[in-house]
Amino acid sequence: MESGGGVVDHLADERSKAQFDVDEMKVVWAGSRHDFELSDRISRLVASDPAFRKDNRVMMSRKELFKNTLRKAAYAWKRIIELRLTEEEANKLRFYVDEPAFTDLHWGMFVPAIKGQGTDEQQQKWLPLAHRMQIIGCYAQTELGHGSNVQGLETTATFDPQTDEFVIHSPTLTSSKWWPGGLGKVSTHAVVYARLITDGQEHGVHGFIVQLRSLDDHMPLPGITIGDIGMKFGNGAYNTMDNGVLRFDNVRIPRDQMLMRVLQVTKEGKCVQSNVPRQLIYGTMVYVRQTIVADASRALSRAVCIATRYSAVRRQFGSQNGLETQLFWLLVLFQVIDYKTQQSRLFPLIASAYAFRFVGEWLKWLYTDVTQRLQANDFSTLPEAHACTAGLKSLTTSVTADAIEECRKLCGGHGYLCSSGLPELFAVYVPACTYEGDNVVLLLQVARFLMKTVAQLPSGKKPVGTTAYLGRVEHLMQYRCGVQNAEDWLNPSVILEVFEARAARMCVNRAQKLGSFPNPEEGFAELSAFLAEAAVAHCQLIVVSKFIEKLQQDIPGGEGVKQQLRNLCNIYALNLINRHLGDFLSTGAISAKQASLANDQLRSLFSQVRPNAIALVDAFNYTDHYLGSILGCYDGNVYPKLYEEAWKDPLNDSVVPDGYQEYIRPMLKQQLRNARL
Amino acid sequence: MESGGGVVDHLADERSKAQFDVDEMKVVWAGSRHDFELSDRISRLVASDPAFRKDNRVMMSRKELFKNTLRKAAYAWKRIIELRLTEEEANKLRFYVDEPAFTDLHWGMFVPAIKGQGTDEQQQKWLPLAHRMQIIGCYAQTELGHGSNVQGLETTATFDPQTDEFVIHSPTLTSSKWWPGGLGKVSTHAVVYARLITDGQEHGVHGFIVQLRSLDDHMPLPGITIGDIGMKFGNGAYNTMDNGVLRFDNVRIPRDQMLMRVLQVTKEGKCVQSNVPRQLIYGTMVYVRQTIVADASRALSRAVCIATRYSAVRRQFGSQNGLETQLFWLLVLFQVIDYKTQQSRLFPLIASAYAFRFVGEWLKWLYTDVTQRLQANDFSTLPEAHACTAGLKSLTTSVTADAIEECRKLCGGHGYLCSSGLPELFAVYVPACTYEGDNVVLLLQVARFLMKTVAQLPSGKKPVGTTAYLGRVEHLMQYRCGVQNAEDWLNPSVILEVFEARAARMCVNRAQKLGSFPNPEEGFAELSAFLAEAAVAHCQLIVVSKFIEKLQQDIPGGEGVKQQLRNLCNIYALNLINRHLGDFLSTGAISAKQASLANDQLRSLFSQVRPNAIALVDAFNYTDHYLGSILGCYDGNVYPKLYEEAWKDPLNDSVVPDGYQEYIRPMLKQQLRNARL
């Protein structure tokens, strides 16, 4: 257990067991050799720079924490300039700094909003300022009383033709902007979403560039009240971000600060639609959700890397029944990763990390495809692409949030320590289930699209993209799964058809049930929970099918790498059958006997993955800095590091704690009665 | 939205809708009129005393937080003495202070350990000191390398007959005591678990009373190294507790500080078993787990109270498809609680809270029963009682942990704010899944017991208690569920038999599969995940059956109260059928058609619960202080309170944040190059 002077690797044995080339798998995981090298180089750059250390942030007070984030952001920007990093490299650097900050919103929301919704002149004016960070912007949409539901926004932007200005106003308490990151303490500007009113008429919700703070002394401009909305879930985590509250008291901005790419307001107050298609906004949505799915695979892989490594480090006495406690010294210490209960929880999560990685890669392609079609004024695939990304966002973020917590539990008691990294990872990740569309609301959007698709089948309308299988619904309703022994479950086309049959039958079944309601909207409301289940089935099918497609492509690393991915793909699919058995059985997609065979096959796959488990998570190529977990450290030298880390807690600054004289001593000495408390 | 001067109750309408007497339900929830009055009186006492305020703790640094906990504990003790509270009242007061502290371990583990494992003389010596808090004790069992697995402990207690002392020693880094609450900074004494060695021989793990710190100046005694193990999950939460690390360097204690109720060591170093039955320890386990189940229902009910009230406050625009955005002002604002997706997630949790409350009440009875039998030297029901409590501990804590997080999600984005109370509730609750037996390990113990029970059936051995249904296994294997329409699912005997059939068939099926392995231990290891599923089915049956039994008893409050409980019982059961449909279908306990009818019935039950939802959570009788949630406040006046709370964050102490001059301004002014960062 010595941490000694030399290089230790407590997991070296595990690494030598791998049956594939981990370096090749790193490239597969990264997406390409270019992506691998970029990530590798930048992550090491960040990890080796003490200015970016992050192990101390869970002990900081809110103020210290926030100031530290400001320091890191400024330092990162300085390094980006000094090293003349490209935009791609700069993005990676910010990513590996791994600390939510106002820059996320500036680069990820403010700049894209101006690019997407600003006219050419507006872009020419504002983008250079933003690109040089001479202004810092955020994205002010949600309000205290209204979440992602844009329809509910109450902030108004009333055009005043007398002065050629908009008057931005918060008419109620609930109309206060609430949640925007970077707003509370940092941003000088915001894209503010408000109801456009001209000549007493409402014209929907639009974006306006509003300066919030003076560029001289950072004080809020007249009529503007801003603050931070307070502590959020977890230690460190999102408390590095100044999510803000913002109220407007009749704040005036020039007319040309309304983002007018789609709708223009003339100086007479007339609204004029431009010839830019409104559907463009969906392209942006596809883009944003694609990045969220990519983030899901990263967060999940990170948690699973920690849990897998620690499961190989941690040992427990086998509870050999029958042997009595007197013999304990003779009992073998088992690695926890050798327990089937551990494997059955852990390995499907490794598989899910890879599955989400590949479906995220495919979404990147989808975005390119959608963009090209939009440019050619082809909107035919948009609804399907929109539903598909909504569903995948919902599925992957929900699974990932739960999986991080599951990984924490898989680490036993020590997972509860901040030094395990898992509490912070959970706390920082869970908002993904809510932002950019609440996950349940998104599933209902998918369900609505599926019901529409099914309803249009009789008219001969061919479903496209990920819903194409619904075009074979007659075949799928009659399909009988032919699995007769466990090995049959290794056939990808069997898996695919079983998932298609399940999803198709659930859709048809829901559509029929909907049909029994006189009013379809009422039926939809009444059956919504039931409909969401069909949407989940559809989304799981997408993930499974994209994983299978990936396996049909050329993959570097030869058969070794491919075999691992095949195992993971099968684990992903068979585990879902196990978890959602009710769906598969109630639709008759498989029989109880076949389900039992799937389970047998799953256990056998776990045994095949076992020797490769550590290498499979090594392939994520995460530095110890990025992982931020003692339990997950590369060398597996967990216990000495945990012990060392404990002493850094501020409570250990003194042997006798502050408060002893006032509170503990009087208690022990029975002198409380006279104490002033 | 005014918070005004007068008393507002935004939920008054909701409360007037209730179809039962909420005051009577409060008594049912509390268990008796006495319990209700006690809880009501003490919770108000705590809530009305500003010394116990807790809304500020999420913003405190670790040191401030800890000192504040010391203050509260001392103050609480002072009040307990001043008000001459009974033990029952004092316990309630500590409970409503609602902040993990060293006193939990002192009263909950240290004192009971001495009571349970100390001889009469030892009790006479140590208990008065502990009862007066002239010493403060903790419970030092787990070690850095060894969790709840007592077999793995490495700390040694070697008897030295020369001096009539034990030498307590930590031979390795991993043998450091790790996790004990109250150890890090406060305790003067500990019950330390160590391997007893006399005359070079091992005699198993035993408890020893060890003084850790000087009673004069609180410094650790010679040979003792103690510290806090550092930050844990969440804001506030368990960071009020000084979970500690402890190493012994050959620390000597007198022989009479080994707890010798069961095993005595003579001054010659001989081990002598007393005539006290070793099974006594199981009685304690049943007791501790019973309290954990009671805690689960409290934590769950608290989360569900918050989510239910906020779901009635929060409104969203109905997404009426077809109506276009231009019409939004005309759209009705719906209460979120009226959405079926919300109901289908929320109402089963209300039902679970009640279900766990009643099964917890029954466990209290079971403990009394077990104790009486132990006193009469009747150990026949112990294994069953032990398995049953292990299983219920596992089931209720796992469900509760997930449910708190689900409640957080049900509150949308605002659930992520600490002021919602849910992040802290989650973080403070989740250790329950790990302590007193990891939940998965416990399920395997249950599974082992079930497999043994099934194996002994042919020999004619009658299963007792909660496994009695396995005595009717032949009938249950042939059982066919007779449900033909949705209302049939309201019959409690139908529900009971369906759950029995499912559990029995899963047990038999697993037993058969185990039989196909040449080595049963190997089979058990290989099938463990599969076996755990049978254990879950068994435990769910226990909860359902105890709920049904409760409904057969006299319940105060008449038909109104009873009807609500009947609805909740049905929701609890039917929701489980829906969630674990794979089990029910694969065992043939029900058909797919019957499952669909169960779903229809469930939706209809949701509509019946809807008008009663707020009253059902009011019945928990939680003060706003105890709930600790703005979203869950009794009067529903959420938004003004959220807004007010935000300004209290330390970041809002100044309008321009600390760090502006060093980091933000140089960035905006393009002067970073020269900045010293």
Side-chain angles (χ1 to χ4, degrees):
Chain A
M1 215 43 84
E2 304 80 345
S3 71
V7 176
V8 285
D9 183 358
H10 292 273
L11 294 172
D13 258 14
E14 287 289 336
R15 295 191 164 104
S16 70
K17 285 187 212 161
Q19 296 154 318
F20 67 98
D21 183 341
V22 68
D23 288 329
E24 292 292 348
M25 189 67 97
K26 286 180 181 176
V27 175
V28 174
W29 175 264
S32 71
R33 196 158 293 277
H34 167 79
D35 286 316
F36 166 73
E37 279 165 4
L38 176 73
S39 292
D40 190 61
R41 180 161 48 86
I42 303 289
S43 67
R44 286 167 196 272
L45 179 77
V46 173
S48 64
D49 191 333
F52 290 127
R53 73 176 279 211
K54 56 183 189 169
D55 56 334
N56 50 354
R57 70 183 163 202
V58 296
M59 297 172 213
M60 291 181 178
S61 72
R62 180 84 204 278
K63 271 182 171 173
E64 290 165 354
L65 186 67
F66 184 69
K67 189 174 178 184
N68 190 49
T69 302
L70 295 182
R71 180 188 60 75
K72 284 190 190 181
Y75 179 77
W77 187 233
K78 189 181 177 199
R79 293 295 288 157
I80 287 166
I81 296 166
E82 285 171 353
L83 298 170
R84 298 173 178 276
L85 298 189
T86 64
E87 201 179 317
E88 191 185 33
E89 291 167 328
N91 279 331
K92 275 280 176 223
L93 186 131
R94 278 187 287 265
F95 170 77
Y96 281 113
V97 168
D98 189 40
E99 190 158 301
F102 63 93
T103 44
D104 301 351
L105 287 302
H106 177 78
W107 294 106
M109 300 293 280
F110 182 70
V111 168
I114 295 173
K115 270 191 192 159
Q117 296 161 47
T119 61
D120 289 346
E121 305 85 71
Q122 289 177 319
Q123 297 192 33
Q124 276 157 31
K125 173 175 176 187
W126 295 99
L127 289 181
L129 292 168
H131 279 139
R132 289 195 298 264
M133 297 206 84
Q134 291 175 292
I135 62 173
I136 299 172
C138 66
Y139 188 87
Q141 180 182 306
T142 51
E143 298 176 356
L144 182 54
H146 316 279
S148 29
N149 191 345
V150 179
Q151 289 185 19
L153 297 182
E154 293 180 77
T155 305
T156 52
T158 310
F159 184 63
D160 178 356
Q162 311 279 234
T163 59
D164 204 26
E165 288 171 326
F166 289 104
V167 183
I168 312 287
H169 188 61
S170 311
T172 60
L173 179 72
T174 48
S175 75
S176 309
K177 292 294 174 188
W178 188 271
W179 274 119
L183 167 65
K185 291 288 152 183
V186 180
S187 293
T188 61
H189 289 68
V191 171
V192 173
Y193 289 84
R195 307 181 164 282
L196 169 61
I197 302 171
T198 66
D199 210 10
Q201 287 253 311
E202 286 259 354
H203 301 274
V205 171
H206 296 272
F208 300 82
I209 298 178
V210 184
Q211 182 173 351
L212 305 175
R213 289 181 168 93
S214 155
L215 289 170
D216 291 325
D217 61 8
H218 211 61
M219 289 297 285
L221 296 185
I224 287 178
T225 308
I226 328 186
D228 182 276
I229 59 169
M231 290 291 286
K232 289 144 289 185
F233 199 167
N235 325 74
Y238 253 96
N239 293 305
T240 57
M241 182 72 90
D242 54 331
N243 296 88
V245 48
L246 166 63
R247 296 194 72 175
F248 296 104
D249 180 8
N250 294 295
V251 171
R252 289 177 167 265
I253 58 168
R255 180 169 57 91
D256 67 3
Q257 288 181 212
M258 171 176 157
L259 293 171
M260 297 212 207
R261 188 164 178 208
V262 172
L263 183 86
Q264 277 120 43
V265 174
T266 66
K267 64 173 185 282
E268 295 79 24
K270 292 263 171 305
C271 289
V272 185
Q273 292 278 348
S274 75
N275 56 2
V276 176
R278 298 181 69 184
Q279 287 92 337
L280 268 184
I281 178 183
Y282 290 102
T284 316
M285 262 194 191
V286 172
Y287 175 76
V288 172
R289 287 178 182 162
Q290 173 262 118
T291 64
I292 294 178
V293 172
D295 288 344
S297 71
R298 269 188 294 247
L300 174 50
S301 57
R302 202 166 150 176
V304 104
C305 178
I306 295 168
T308 304
R309 286 184 181 159
Y310 183 51
S311 296
V313 169
R314 188 173 156 212
R315 284 161 199 273
Q316 254 180 5
F317 285 100
S319 59
Q320 299 275 14
N321 219 32
L323 290 175
E324 255 316 308
T325 45
Q326 304 294 2
L327 288 171
F328 38 63
W329 281 120
L330 300 176
L331 286 178
V332 190
L333 279 166
F334 290 106
Q335 288 170 285
V336 170
I337 198 173
D338 284 324
Y339 288 102
K340 285 286 161 183
T341 41
Q342 194 82 356
Q343 293 179 5
S344 69
R345 296 160 73 195
L346 188 57
F347 293 173
L349 298 181
I350 301 182
S352 303
Y354 277 89
F356 293 174
R357 180 72 190 93
F358 297 139
V359 82
E361 225 174 41
W362 171 76
L363 277 179
K364 235 166 129 175
W365 168 85
L366 182 72
Y367 172 65
T368 322
D369 183 63
V370 163
T371 314
Q372 284 169 357
R373 285 172 192 267
L374 280 177
Q375 280 160 359
N377 272 324
D378 168 8
F379 308 126
S380 64
T381 63
L382 253 191
E384 187 274 323
H386 181 250
C388 159
T389 54
L392 290 174
K393 184 271 176 184
S394 173
L395 180 76
T396 58
T397 57
S398 287
V399 168
T400 298
D402 291 349
I404 296 170
E405 173 62 6
E406 180 78 350
C407 286
R408 194 187 63 70
K409 287 183 183 150
L410 284 167
C411 292
H414 297 347
Y416 191 63
L417 286 170
C418 287
S419 54
S420 79
L422 291 164
E424 192 177 17
L425 187 57
F426 182 75
V428 88
Y429 187 74
V430 288
C433 297
T434 314
Y435 61 56
E436 287 299 316
D438 173 86
N439 280 353
V440 174
V441 174
L442 291 180
L443 283 182
L444 292 179
Q445 289 179 8
V446 177
R448 205 176 273 280
F449 178 72
L450 290 172
M451 291 306 102
K452 204 169 157 187
T453 306
V454 170
Q456 290 174 339
L457 287 175
S459 73
K461 189 170 178 199
K462 272 261 166 279
V464 296
T466 57
T467 51
Y469 69 103
L470 290 173
R472 291 179 284 113
V473 72
E474 278 170 42
H475 163 74
L476 290 171
M477 294 303 285
Q478 280 154 25
Y479 168 80
R480 287 196 51 147
C481 171
V483 166
Q484 291 188 316
N485 52 60
E487 289 72 41
D488 294 345
W489 276 117
L490 299 177
N491 183 342
S493 62
V494 167
I495 285 180
L496 199 58
E497 272 208 308
V498 163
F499 273 81
E500 286 178 347
R502 168 218 187 194
R505 292 176 195 190
M506 286 176 79
C507 287
V508 169
N509 163 289
R510 268 74 179 162
Q512 282 167 349
K513 205 142 185 174
L514 265 186
S516 68
F517 284 80
N519 174 340
E521 276 311 315
E522 212 173 273
F524 199 89
E526 178 69 18
L527 297 176
S528 51
F530 189 57
L531 287 159
E533 291 170 7
V536 169
H538 171 71
C539 296
Q540 289 174 340
L541 164 63
I542 300 176
V543 180
V544 167
S545 66
K546 296 306 160 193
F547 205 151
I548 290 175
E549 278 175 24
K550 174 81 188 176
L551 290 171
Q552 288 158 350
Q553 296 165 15
D554 263 351
I555 292 176
E559 190 48 29
V561 163
K562 204 151 193 171
Q563 186 53 44
Q564 294 309 314
L565 295 179
R566 235 180 260 131
N567 287 345
L568 292 176
C569 179
N570 288 327
I571 287 177
Y572 181 74
L574 296 181
N575 179 61
L576 284 182
I577 291 178
N578 195 23
R579 295 280 163 120
H580 295 264
L581 191 53
D583 286 358
F584 288 91
L585 292 178
S586 66
T587 56
I590 64 170
S591 69
K593 171 75 190 153
Q594 290 167 331
S596 170
L597 292 170
N599 235 324
D600 293 343
Q601 185 54 58
L602 195 53
R603 284 203 314 280
S604 144
L605 287 163
F606 290 158
S607 303
Q608 292 171 55
V609 163
R610 169 61 190 92
N612 299 290
I614 295 297
L616 283 169
V617 301
D618 283 350
F620 305 145
N621 198 40
Y622 294 143
T623 62
D624 278 353
H625 172 271
Y626 180 66
L627 265 189
S629 167
I630 288 178
L631 301 186
C633 60
Y634 184 84
D635 66 11
N637 193 25
V638 167
Y639 297 114
K641 288 181 189 174
L642 272 181
Y643 189 81
E644 236 172 79
E645 186 66 21
W647 299 103
K648 296 182 190 159
D649 193 276
L651 270 194
N652 290 324
D653 288 352
S654 62
V655 176
V656 173
D658 193 16
Y660 165 71
Q661 290 296 342
E662 301 100 301
Y663 309 123
I664 302 178
R665 193 178 160 83
M667 199 156 16
L668 293 169
K669 299 296 176 195
Q670 310 284 298
Q671 295 161 340
L672 265 190
R673 228 177 262 263
N674 318 314
R676 284 193 313 182
L677 290 170
Chain B
M1 213 45 79
E2 304 83 341
S3 68
V7 176
V8 284
D9 183 358
H10 291 275
L11 294 171
D13 258 15
E14 287 290 336
R15 295 189 165 108
S16 71
K17 283 187 213 159
Q19 295 155 316
F20 66 98
D21 182 342
V22 68
D23 288 326
E24 292 292 346
M25 189 67 97
K26 286 180 181 176
V27 175
V28 174
W29 175 264
S32 70
R33 194 157 296 276
H34 167 78
D35 286 316
F36 166 72
E37 278 165 6
L38 176 73
S39 292
D40 190 60
R41 179 163 47 88
I42 304 290
S43 67
R44 285 168 198 271
L45 180 78
V46 173
S48 64
D49 191 334
F52 290 128
R53 73 176 278 211
K54 55 183 189 171
D55 56 334
N56 50 353
R57 71 183 163 203
V58 298
M59 298 170 210
M60 291 181 177
S61 73
R62 182 82 204 281
K63 272 183 171 173
E64 291 165 352
L65 186 66
F66 184 69
K67 188 173 177 184
N68 190 47
T69 301
L70 295 182
R71 180 188 60 76
K72 283 190 191 180
Y75 180 75
W77 186 232
K78 189 181 175 197
R79 292 298 284 158
I80 286 166
I81 296 167
E82 285 171 351
L83 298 170
R84 299 171 176 275
L85 297 189
T86 64
E87 202 180 319
E88 189 184 33
E89 290 168 328
N91 279 331
K92 274 283 174 220
L93 186 132
R94 279 188 286 265
F95 170 77
Y96 282 113
V97 168
D98 189 40
E99 191 157 300
F102 62 94
T103 43
D104 301 352
L105 286 302
H106 177 78
W107 295 105
M109 300 293 279
F110 181 70
V111 168
I114 294 173
K115 270 191 193 162
Q117 297 161 46
T119 60
D120 288 346
E121 304 85 72
Q122 289 177 320
Q123 296 192 35
Q124 275 158 28
K125 174 174 177 189
W126 295 99
L127 289 181
L129 292 169
H131 278 139
R132 287 194 300 263
M133 298 205 83
Q134 290 175 292
I135 62 174
I136 300 172
C138 67
Y139 188 86
Q141 180 183 307
T142 52
E143 297 175 356
L144 181 54
H146 315 278
S148 29
N149 192 344
V150 179
Q151 289 184 17
L153 297 182
E154 294 180 77
T155 304
T156 52
T158 310
F159 184 63
D160 178 355
Q162 311 280 234
T163 59
D164 203 25
E165 289 172 325
F166 288 104
V167 182
I168 312 285
H169 188 61
S170 311
T172 60
L173 179 71
T174 48
S175 73
S176 310
K177 292 294 173 189
W178 188 270
W179 275 119
L183 167 65
K185 291 288 152 185
V186 179
S187 293
T188 60
H189 289 68
V191 170
V192 173
Y193 288 85
R195 303 181 167 286
L196 169 62
I197 301 171
T198 67
D199 210 11
Q201 288 253 309
E202 287 260 352
H203 300 275
V205 172
H206 296 272
F208 299 82
I209 298 177
V210 184
Q211 183 172 349
L212 304 174
R213 290 179 167 95
S214 153
L215 289 170
D216 291 327
D217 61 7
H218 211 62
M219 288 297 286
L221 297 184
I224 288 178
T225 308
I226 328 186
D228 183 275
I229 60 170
M231 291 290 286
K232 289 144 290 183
F233 198 169
N235 325 75
Y238 254 97
N239 292 304
T240 56
M241 181 73 89
D242 55 332
N243 296 89
V245 49
L246 165 63
R247 296 195 72 175
F248 296 103
D249 182 6
N250 293 297
V251 171
R252 289 177 168 265
I253 58 167
R255 179 170 55 92
D256 67 2
Q257 288 182 209
M258 170 175 158
L259 293 171
M260 297 214 206
R261 188 165 178 204
V262 172
L263 183 87
Q264 276 122 41
V265 173
T266 67
K267 62 173 185 281
E268 295 79 25
K270 292 265 170 302
C271 288
V272 184
Q273 291 278 347
S274 75
N275 56 1
V276 175
R278 299 181 69 184
Q279 287 92 336
L280 268 185
I281 180 184
Y282 290 103
T284 317
M285 264 193 188
V286 171
Y287 176 76
V288 172
R289 287 177 182 162
Q290 174 262 118
T291 64
I292 294 178
V293 172
D295 288 345
S297 70
R298 268 188 294 246
L300 174 49
S301 56
R302 203 165 149 176
V304 105
C305 178
I306 296 168
T308 303
R309 285 183 182 161
Y310 184 51
S311 295
V313 169
R314 189 173 156 213
R315 283 158 200 273
Q316 253 181 5
F317 286 100
S319 59
Q320 300 273 14
N321 220 30
L323 290 175
E324 255 314 311
T325 43
Q326 305 293 3
L327 287 172
F328 40 65
W329 281 120
L330 299 177
L331 286 180
V332 191
L333 279 166
F334 290 106
Q335 286 170 285
V336 170
I337 198 173
D338 284 324
Y339 288 103
K340 285 284 162 186
T341 42
Q342 193 83 355
Q343 293 178 6
S344 69
R345 296 160 74 197
L346 188 58
F347 292 173
L349 298 181
I350 301 181
S352 303
Y354 277 88
F356 293 174
R357 180 71 191 92
F358 297 140
V359 83
E361 226 173 40
W362 172 76
L363 277 178
K364 235 167 127 173
W365 168 86
L366 183 72
Y367 172 65
T368 321
D369 183 61
V370 163
T371 313
Q372 285 170 356
R373 285 171 193 267
L374 280 177
Q375 280 160 358
N377 271 321
D378 168 8
F379 307 127
S380 63
T381 62
L382 254 190
E384 188 273 323
H386 181 250
C388 159
T389 54
L392 289 174
K393 185 271 177 184
S394 174
L395 179 76
T396 57
T397 57
S398 287
V399 168
T400 297
D402 292 350
I404 296 169
E405 173 61 7
E406 180 78 351
C407 285
R408 196 189 61 72
K409 287 183 183 149
L410 285 168
C411 291
H414 297 348
Y416 191 63
L417 286 170
C418 287
S419 54
S420 79
L422 291 164
E424 192 177 16
L425 187 57
F426 181 75
V428 87
Y429 188 74
V430 288
C433 298
T434 313
Y435 62 56
E436 287 299 318
D438 174 88
N439 280 352
V440 174
V441 174
L442 291 180
L443 283 182
L444 292 179
Q445 290 180 9
V446 177
R448 204 175 272 280
F449 178 73
L450 291 172
M451 291 304 102
K452 204 167 156 187
T453 306
V454 170
Q456 290 175 339
L457 287 176
S459 73
K461 188 168 176 197
K462 272 262 165 280
V464 296
T466 58
T467 51
Y469 70 103
L470 290 174
R472 291 180 284 114
V473 73
E474 278 171 41
H475 163 73
L476 291 172
M477 295 304 285
Q478 280 156 27
Y479 168 80
R480 287 196 51 146
C481 171
V483 166
Q484 293 190 315
N485 53 58
E487 289 72 40
D488 294 343
W489 277 116
L490 299 178
N491 183 343
S493 62
V494 167
I495 286 181
L496 198 58
E497 272 209 308
V498 163
F499 273 80
E500 286 179 347
R502 168 219 187 192
R505 293 177 192 188
M506 287 176 79
C507 286
V508 169
N509 163 287
R510 268 72 178 166
Q512 284 167 348
K513 206 144 185 172
L514 265 185
S516 68
F517 285 79
N519 174 342
E521 275 311 314
E522 212 174 89
F524 199 89
E526 178 69 19
L527 298 176
S528 52
F530 189 56
L531 287 159
E533 291 170 6
V536 169
H538 172 71
C539 296
Q540 290 175 340
L541 164 62
I542 300 176
V543 180
V544 167
S545 66
K546 296 305 160 192
F547 205 151
I548 291 176
E549 279 176 22
K550 174 79 188 178
L551 290 170
Q552 287 158 351
Q553 297 165 13
D554 262 352
I555 292 176
E559 190 47 31
V561 163
K562 204 149 193 171
Q563 186 53 45
Q564 294 310 314
L565 295 179
R566 235 180 258 130
N567 287 345
L568 292 176
C569 180
N570 288 327
I571 286 177
Y572 181 74
L574 296 180
N575 178 62
L576 284 181
I577 292 179
N578 195 23
R579 294 280 163 115
H580 295 263
L581 191 54
D583 287 357
F584 288 91
L585 292 178
S586 66
T587 55
I590 63 169
S591 69
K593 171 72 189 156
Q594 290 166 331
S596 168
L597 292 172
N599 234 325
D600 292 343
Q601 185 55 56
L602 195 52
R603 285 204 313 281
S604 143
L605 286 164
F606 291 158
S607 302
Q608 291 170 55
V609 163
R610 168 64 190 91
N612 299 290
I614 294 298
L616 283 169
V617 301
D618 283 349
F620 305 146
N621 199 40
Y622 293 143
T623 62
D624 278 353
H625 172 271
Y626 179 66
L627 266 188
S629 167
I630 288 177
L631 302 187
C633 60
Y634 184 85
D635 66 10
N637 194 25
V638 167
Y639 297 114
K641 288 182 189 174
L642 272 180
Y643 189 81
E644 237 172 79
E645 187 65 21
W647 299 102
K648 296 182 191 161
D649 193 275
L651 270 193
N652 290 326
D653 288 351
S654 62
V655 176
V656 174
D658 193 16
Y660 165 70
Q661 291 294 342
E662 301 100 301
Y663 309 123
I664 302 178
R665 193 180 162 84
M667 198 156 19
L668 292 169
K669 300 295 178 197
Q670 309 283 296
Q671 295 160 340
L672 265 192
R673 228 176 261 264
N674 316 316
R676 287 193 310 183
L677 285 171

